[in-house]
Amino acid sequence: MNSYLYQISGGKPKSLLPSIGAALLDGLVKIFPAILIVDVFNTVFELFAKESATLDTTRLWAVSAFLLGWLVIQYAASLLAYNTSFISSYKVSAFGRIELAEHLRKLPLGYISSKNPAELTNMMINDFAEVEKAISHTVPQFISGLLFPILAFIGLLFVNWKMAIAMFIALPVACIVLWATNRFQDSLSSKQVIAKNRAGSMLQEYISGIREIKAHQLGGERFQRLRQAFEDLMRESIRLETLIGPIVMIAIILIRSGMTLMIFTGTYLMIDGQLTLPIFLMFLLVGLRVFEPMTVTLVNYAEIRYGSFSAKRIMDLRSEKPQKGDDTIKNIENISFEDVTFSYKPDQPVIKNVTFDIPAKKITALVGPSGSGKSTITKLIARFWDIDSGVIRAGGKALVDINPENLLSHISMVFQEVYLFKATIYHNIQVGNPQASREDIIEAAKKANCHDFITALPHGYDTLVGEGGSTLSGGEKQRISIARALLKDADIILLDEATASLDPESEADIQRALNRLIENKTVVMIAHRLQTIRNAHQIIVLNNGSVSEKGTHETLLAQEGLYAKLWHLQNEAGNWQLK
């Protein structure tokens, strides 16, 4: 239970204390009127039990007035429990989502890439919804429902121990039933959670690939996979409800049998003269108050077992270690790879014992066949992953020792696939430097050759773009990406074939913008069209994850190696035409 409370509260179990305390107070406040009602009944009972007795109207009026005033206290306690529980749950889940998103941002990109996006989305939305429900309802009601009968049992032992034992004797049996079926409940819950995540994943895949599905008429096949995922979810959900439900009902019946046993015991004791009617009535009234929260506790126990999977998934992600590094650098003079090996999967190296230098304020181009490791090298420079062996240095310091946030502050990236946020163009450019003024943003846009098309839009810089930049063309998105990089003004520029998929007019505009971007910067660019890198200061040719050649354009052509072969093949392809 301690482990669960730790997980469900995001590692802060003390945050649950206010809601648990308020729920317990609410339960105690509700039982007090039952004691006073017994006192009223006892006062009236004495009038008939004793011939010389007179009705104590003063006492009755006092108790009635107290009960009336107690309604206000009871309302206040219920309101406190309600507000405290929901405020605590909303705070924990809201801050928990923010903290988890921040933690996710600091994890290696390799870890994030290994996860299904739908799984992470379900965790951020659905799992936290389960946590929110647990904090606001399940846990406070469970703990208060557990403590309340214990306190009532202890108090009733002093009144009549036989009646107290009769009332609660079935409680241990019900607990044993639930404990004995823990593994069975966990198995059902885990299968339902897996089915729910798979259904979410299939739905996201179907929506994301709807264009390809329609274009290739894959609707039947892909929809069948989606249908199967939802049918599996339906089947596991029904199994969860129909198989766990009877277990909980058995436990509830056992609990409520204590009321029947108490009535039989009380009747016997009254006949035997060991119990008075007022005391018997008090046990009945207290029993009605006690068995209700006990029943809720049993139901909540099953929900707690289910919610524990959501809490554990969240805590497992939180336990993932972010990239380390405490050193900071003011500027990056150069970058060096020293015998670097890296693999995305164990024993499948993508980069093998690579060694080379990237000089400061020079242009270094990476070329080679597809899958040779070009994009991987740029991602290793940005430390999206940590290497298996060897050393990458930036400004003379090993990347593993540099704070990742500090390292990325010195790097700007312009990739072939540009992602724009669902926000205004102004805010998408401002991503490069959140502290930049509007004048700085407009100036960056002008240098990136995108000011003219932005001002031609109906709302100019305040135009809202679709998610991913879907309302803009490829060239427009690319120029906004360059404007971001210009605004950031970083030491290192990483370019991944930024003009490969553009029309000639857009390519010319972007090439002019790139020339402004890379001026006096250390540039690492990936190029498939070798014509664009003829003037690079250094060209590194990669093949099967290793450096096969290195030099200038003229030097590599003279070597008549892989670079020269690629150059001649592209020239031949450039002369190709339809016949």
Side-chain angles (χ1 to χ4, degrees), residues 400-419:
V400 293
D401 297 327
I402 301 174
N403 181 284
E405 300 290 320
N406 175 253
L407 174 67
L408 288 173
S409 69
H410 295 278
I411 297 175
S412 287
M413 291 165 276
V414 180
F415 295 132
Q416 184 175 343
E417 295 294 329
V418 177
Y419 185 87

Side-chain angles (χ1 to χ4, degrees), residues 332-333 358-364 410 412 485-494 514-524 537:
I332 299 178
E333 294 297 330
I358 298 174
K361 298 183 179 179
K362 303 290 184 181
I363 298 175
T364 296
H410 295 278
S412 287
L486 284 163
L487 195 64
K488 188 173 183 178
D489 193 26
D491 302 328
I492 304 254
I493 308 295
L494 304 179
L514 287 174
N515 287 334
R516 298 188 183 101
L517 173 64
I518 66 178
E519 189 175 351
N520 295 320
K521 304 292 183 183
T522 301
V523 180
V524 180
H537 299 95

Side-chain angles (χ1 to χ4, degrees), residues 66-123:
F66 193 85
L67 283 172
L68 188 62
W70 196 258
L71 289 175
V72 178
I73 296 175
Q74 188 170 323
Y75 173 78
S78 297
L79 186 63
L80 175 65
Y82 180 86
N83 290 336
T84 303
S85 296
F86 280 96
I87 289 173
S88 296
S89 66
Y90 292 148
K91 281 185 177 179
V92 170
S93 60
F95 288 117
R97 284 188 175 104
I98 294 171
E99 289 177 356
L100 191 63
E102 179 66 12
H103 178 71
L104 197 63
R105 186 179 66 84
K106 295 179 180 179
L107 292 178
L109 189 62
Y111 174 82
I112 299 172
S113 300
S114 67
K115 294 292 182 181
N116 190 309
E119 182 181 353
L120 295 176
T121 301
N122 282 332
M123 189 179 301

Side-chain angles (χ1 to χ4, degrees), residues 41 71 75 91 122 199 207 214 271 276 281 285 330 332 384 388 440 503 564 576:
F41 182 83
L71 289 175
Y75 173 78
K91 281 185 177 179
N122 282 332
I207 294 174
K214 290 172 70 68
I271 293 173
T276 63
L281 178 62
L285 292 174
K330 292 184 178 179
I332 299 178
F384 286 167
D388 300 338
D440 293 334
D503 60 87
W576 178 84

Side-chain angles (χ1 to χ4, degrees), residues 217-235:
Q217 297 179 317
L218 298 175
E221 176 188 345
R222 293 294 169 176
F223 188 73
Q224 183 59 36
R225 291 178 60 188
L226 182 65
R227 180 195 295 275
Q228 186 62 49
F230 280 114
E231 287 179 353
D232 292 343
L233 175 59
M234 176 188 68
R235 183 174 60 254

